Amino acid sequence: MAKFAIGEKVDNAVGNHDAGTVIAVFPTVEGNLRYAVDMEGYGALQFFAEDKLVVHAG
């Protein structure tokens, strides 16, 4: 089961903690989940493993 839902606001847990919105959740070949996140201000999707995201703080 996915930790984050499509449409949920999340923050990058590492680096500069940018915020974004989950737009897709999909499994890898190994069975792990990956999240496609529309990061605010970048105009492109970024893909994250579940442990690299946290619920948006603000």
Side-chain angles (χ1 to χ4, degrees):
M1 177 175 229
K3 182 176 178 181
F4 305 103
I6 293 172
E8 188 169 0
K9 214 88 168 158
V10 294
D11 290 340
N12 182 350
V14 296
N16 53 8
H17 302 278
D18 290 332
T21 304
V22 175
I23 63 158
V25 181
F26 54 94
T28 64
V29 173
E30 296 84 16
N32 300 314
L33 292 178
R34 294 289 185 267
Y35 295 84
V37 180
D38 183 6
M39 300 303 286
E40 295 172 0
Y42 287 94
L45 297 178
Q46 292 188 7
F47 297 87
F48 294 94
E50 193 168 69
D51 64 339
K52 302 298 181 195
L53 296 172
V54 294
V55 174
H56 182 62

